[in-house]
Amino acid sequence: MDINTISLITASIAGICMAICQVPQAWKIYKEGKAEGLSLGMQIIITTGIFFWFVTGVLLRNIPMWASNGFCLIFCIYVLVMVIRTKRRK
């Protein structure tokens, strides 16, 4: 295998892991209807980071990168919105 194939595989695995990591949190928030105990600052940072990885994937025309980060971004934005809504209610 050449370095491009290896980097594509590792980037794909990393992207899948990042995409999946937000799903349990989003599901918990969906079931409970609130996001108490989550850090707004941390959620802003992770959402911003994932957004820029998504944009990088689009610019590089790297389908695994933009697809996995785009998927993750959906859950990050949902969690971020719910954290903000929960904080506003207090």
Side-chain angles (χ1 to χ4, degrees):
M1 265 194 279
D2 66 350
I3 192 69
N4 289 330
T5 303
I6 293 169
S7 67
L8 180 63
I9 291 169
T10 58
S12 297
I13 292 169
I16 290 167
C17 290
M18 288 300 298
I20 292 172
C21 79
Q22 287 293 319
V23 173
Q25 189 66 60
W27 180 250
K28 182 177 186 280
I29 291 169
Y30 175 76
K31 284 187 353 185
E32 294 177 0
K34 59 187 177 190
E36 289 181 0
L38 294 179
S39 166
L40 177 60
M42 186 279 305
Q43 200 57 44
I44 290 169
I45 291 167
I46 196 165
T47 302
T48 302
I50 295 297
F51 171 77
F52 282 109
W53 276 117
F54 170 74
V55 170
T56 300
V58 170
L59 294 174
L60 293 175
R61 295 187 175 118
N62 183 320
I63 293 172
M65 182 184 275
W66 69 255
S68 60
N69 285 294
F71 179 78
C72 185
L73 189 58
I74 293 166
F75 290 98
C76 285
I77 290 170
Y78 173 74
V79 172
L80 177 61
V81 167
M82 293 303 290
V83 169
I84 292 168
R85 287 179 66 188
T86 299
K87 302 263 186 227
R88 284 189 180 166
R89 289 182 192 154
K90 287 186 173 184

